Amino acid sequence: METLETKKKRAFPHSLVIIFLLICVAAVMTWVVPAGEYVRVEDALTGRMVVDPNSYHVVESNPANLFDVFVAIPRGLSEAGWIAWMVLIIGGSFHVIESTQSTRALIGKFMKTLKGRGGIFFIPLLMLPFFMLPAITGNGESMLAFLPLGILIARSMGFDAMTGLCIVTIASSTGYCTGLFSAFSTGTAQSLVGLPVLSSGLWFRILGAVLLFAAAAFWTVRYAWMVKKDPTKSYCYDLERNASEQEAEIVELTTRRKLCLVEFLLGICTIVYAALAGWDFKTRFPAIFIIMAVVIGLTAGYDANKIASTFVDGAKVVLVGALVTGFSKGISVILADANITDTIVHALSSLVVGLPTQIGAMAMLLVQSVLNCFIISSSGQAAATIPIMSPLGDVLGLTQQTVVMAFLYGDGFSNLLLPMNASIMGACAISGITYPQYMRRAIRHYASYMVIGFIMLFIAATIKLGPF
């Protein structure tokens, strides 16, 4: 029997531990990698300072010492402070909204209405709300609350628990990948490269979202059809043989919750309008979420203390993500102080020099996918990698919008497979599906998403996808 001590030894390192080790690696690199830099010139069209790809030259080295490693952490928190505060504010506000159970009641009523209807082509319709909510809000973890109901509906339609997991968890994870209006991923990345936040490149993200949803629905319908014809082919057949038909909790859609939903919809519309109108992203977007939390909390019957305490509980949930953002920024602080960021960019560009820009865009997707294994937080990964990928894009002749798309897909797609992803492991725990069983299903989604990502980046690099 495995002891507690053995389990502790096998436990995956905490995100902050990984980031700190990466800061240490960056510090060691400052002693090994020669310092160098590119000359920045102003782009006549955008006014943004861009890299002159032929201007790289060696400069004086400034390696980091041991104390610099620890100084980089508070400096990173300070420089990425607005991102960390945004994560806390949006996380806390969304928790207030979710605590009213308004969205749970609406989706629960919708799914209960479809219960018992065996038409397999209802599946994409069931998946759509779970896809859209994370695509707009950037919050996919809250969709776990609907998983028991999703599994119940799937079984009542003659399918299995894996189909229910695909309807809820795969759909929400896929929606998150699109970054349509996600302040955490798209907003952070675009602000770091100086693009108009959320409004820029929206049509291209919508195109990608349509393709990704089509792929998610195709694989889910195909699997459900297989299980319907032969239940023994279920990836979790043993689980299905022992499945109990317990009723999942259905939350009543009261008048208060209907009003909360109307207010939530108005808030989402305001966010979309603010993005298209070019409102200040760093302050006004979090402010919209605060207003939504207060108004919806009061409508739900909360007093001021209840709203505040629920907000704090939500902020606690995302606190690690906020800290990871600041810690991750410490990596780029170390590299920038030692003047080796441009050296890394120069080395990476030399690997693909002479190749079509489309290949460079695809390579960025692969690099971001690997980095996501170490930096799970989307805002944290943006803070750590965009300072390197942005000038690399300039050198390779890629637009900054293409750089952002490579980041979004690299950050999002690999989340489907990572055992460090709370949404995935939580879904496995709730459903009773083992991680290997889940992987057997998810790998098909991941492979098709990567193909779509490569195609989208090929197009972006070819048409030189601009800010709008």
Side-chain angles (χ1 to χ4, degrees):
M1 185 175 177
E2 198 174 44
T3 65
L4 180 61
E5 184 177 347
T6 304
K7 288 183 178 180
K8 285 183 177 179
K9 288 180 180 178
R10 294 183 180 180
F12 195 84
H14 192 283
S15 297
L16 295 182
V17 174
I18 293 175
I19 300 301
F20 180 74
L21 292 175
L22 291 175
I23 293 174
C24 293
V25 170
V28 172
M29 288 174 62
T30 65
W31 290 89
V32 178
V33 177
E37 65 180 19
Y38 287 101
V39 173
R40 264 74 173 173
V41 296
E42 184 175 349
D43 185 276
L45 294 176
T46 64
R48 174 177 165 268
M49 299 302 293
V50 299
V51 165
D52 178 354
N54 300 314
S55 65
Y56 178 78
H57 59 281
V58 176
V59 297
E60 184 178 353
S61 179
N62 181 33
N65 57 43
L66 181 60
F67 189 59
D68 290 334
V69 170
F70 294 94
V71 170
I73 295 173
R75 280 188 59 193
L77 285 165
S78 177
E79 293 188 15
W82 67 270
I83 304 175
W85 285 117
M86 181 186 67
V87 170
L88 291 173
I89 289 173
I90 294 179
S93 299
F94 200 81
H95 189 65
V96 174
I97 297 166
E98 278 296 298
S99 70
T100 68
Q101 296 192 310
S102 302
T103 54
R104 179 184 175 91
L106 177 64
I107 296 178
K109 183 176 180 64
F110 174 70
M111 296 184 75
K112 190 177 182 182
T113 301
L114 294 179
K115 182 181 178 182
R117 299 186 182 182
I120 198 168
F121 295 106
F122 275 115
I123 288 178
L125 191 62
L126 288 168
M127 296 175 70
L128 189 58
F130 300 109
F131 175 85
M132 289 304 301
L133 278 174
I136 294 172
T137 65
N139 187 314
E141 289 82 357
S142 60
M143 297 297 102
L144 284 175
F146 300 97
L147 184 55
L149 186 60
I151 292 173
L152 178 67
I153 302 300
R155 283 173 171 161
S156 73
M157 295 170 70
F159 309 128
D160 63 353
M162 184 68 79
T163 305
L165 185 147
C166 290
I167 289 172
V168 178
T169 303
I170 292 289
S172 60
S173 297
T174 307
Y176 172 84
C177 294
T178 66
L180 284 183
F181 287 97
S182 173
F184 300 118
S185 54
T186 309
T188 302
Q190 289 183 330
S191 64
L192 289 172
V193 299
L195 288 170
V197 175
L198 297 183
S199 61
S200 64
L202 178 59
W203 71 272
F204 197 76
R205 296 199 301 279
I206 291 175
L207 175 60
V210 171
L211 294 175
L212 289 170
F213 180 75
F218 169 79
W219 286 114
T220 303
V221 168
R222 187 173 185 269
Y223 173 78
W225 181 257
M226 178 185 72
V227 173
K228 186 87 168 180
K229 289 196 299 182
D230 184 358
T232 62
K233 291 186 177 180
S234 167
Y235 288 4
C236 52
Y237 182 61
D238 291 341
L239 177 67
E240 294 307 302
R241 285 192 302 178
N242 301 318
S244 60
E245 290 295 328
Q246 294 181 349
E247 280 289 332
E249 181 186 1
I250 304 294
V251 179
E252 183 183 357
L253 188 58
T254 62
T255 301
R256 280 185 183 269
R257 287 183 175 134
K258 289 178 182 177
L259 289 173
C260 289
L261 286 170
V262 172
E263 292 162 355
F264 180 61
L265 178 61
L266 289 174
I268 294 299
C269 290
T270 304
I271 290 172
V272 174
Y273 172 79
L276 297 176
W279 287 15
D280 177 51
F281 171 73
K282 297 181 182 180
T283 56
R284 295 198 176 189
F285 276 79
I288 294 171
F289 274 93
I290 293 175
I291 294 170
M292 289 169 61
V294 172
V295 172
I296 292 175
L298 292 174
T299 302
Y302 296 175
D303 59 21
N305 285 342
K306 174 71 171 177
I307 294 174
S309 61
T310 307
F311 179 92
V312 171
D313 290 341
K316 288 178 182 177
V317 173
V318 297
L319 178 61
V320 171
L323 289 174
V324 165
T325 299
F327 273 53
S328 299
K329 187 64 175 178
I331 300 171
S332 57
V333 166
I334 288 286
L335 299 178
D337 284 355
N339 296 318
I340 66 171
T341 301
D342 284 0
T343 303
I344 296 172
V345 171
H346 182 68
L348 290 173
S349 64
S350 66
L351 296 176
V352 291
V353 66
L355 296 176
T357 56
Q358 292 88 343
I359 301 299
M362 295 177 186
M364 276 193 174
L365 169 55
L366 294 175
V367 171
Q368 292 285 14
S369 298
V370 172
L371 291 173
N372 191 46
C373 299
F374 303 98
I375 310 174
I376 303 300
S377 164
S378 56
S379 54
Q381 186 175 344
T385 63
I386 292 298
I388 293 176
M389 294 301 170
S390 175
L392 178 59
D394 291 335
V395 173
L396 296 178
L398 298 172
T399 65
Q400 292 303 297
Q401 199 70 260
T402 305
V403 172
V404 170
M405 293 304 301
F407 159 74
L408 288 177
Y409 291 155
D411 168 60
F413 295 165
S414 53
N415 279 335
L416 281 168
L417 307 181
L418 296 180
M420 303 84 79
N421 186 341
S423 293
I424 299 307
M425 299 314 293
C428 289
I430 292 171
S431 63
I433 294 170
T434 65
Y435 179 66
Q437 289 171 338
Y438 166 79
M439 279 289 290
R440 185 182 172 193
R441 175 97 299 270
I443 196 69
R444 290 168 171 77
H445 290 265
Y446 175 75
S448 62
Y449 295 176
M450 286 295 287
V451 171
I452 291 171
F454 284 143
I455 292 172
M456 292 297 292
L457 290 173
F458 182 92
I459 295 172
T462 302
I463 67 174
K464 296 194 178 296
L465 182 64
F468 298 103

